[in-house]
Amino acid sequence: MIIGIGIDSVEIDRFKDWHVYTDTQLRRVFSPDEIKYCREVESKRAERFAVRFAAREALLKALSQAYPEQK
C-alpha cells in the first residue's frame, strides 16, 4: 500500500563545496558512513551529497502526505 509519494531534485552545483564542511556540520544531515562515501572520489563529491540530500527531501515529502499535521 502506498501512503505517500515524494520527489525532489536539486542542483548539483549547490553541493560543490560541501566536502569542506566539518563532520559536525554534515552529521546534521548525513550519517558518518555517508560522509565518508561522499568524500571518497573527488570528481563525484557534489553529486553524491546531492543525491543523498534529494532522497531525504523526497522521503520527508512522502511522510508529510502519509502523516499530515493535525490541527
Side-chain angles (χ1 to χ4, degrees):
M1 167 176 53
I2 298 173
I3 55 176
I5 296 174
I7 188 167
D8 198 66
S9 65
V10 295
E11 297 284 331
I12 293 174
D13 281 348
R14 186 175 146 202
F15 297 85
K16 66 181 169 64
D17 295 326
W18 279 42
H19 68 279
V20 297
Y21 289 0
T22 67
D23 283 0
T24 302
Q25 291 171 309
L26 291 171
R27 276 196 299 260
R28 293 178 183 173
V29 180
F30 305 107
S31 73
D33 287 339
E34 288 175 312
I35 295 167
K36 181 180 174 187
Y37 173 76
C38 290
R39 288 178 171 161
E40 277 180 348
V41 179
E42 187 174 343
S43 63
K44 300 269 186 193
R45 289 175 179 169
E47 180 181 328
R48 289 177 176 185
F49 279 119
V51 166
R52 276 146 194 80
F53 186 85
R56 279 177 174 68
E57 288 290 311
L59 175 64
L60 290 174
K61 288 177 183 180
L63 292 176
S64 70
Q65 288 180 14
Y67 304 102
E69 187 177 317
Q70 296 181 9
K71 296 180 180 181

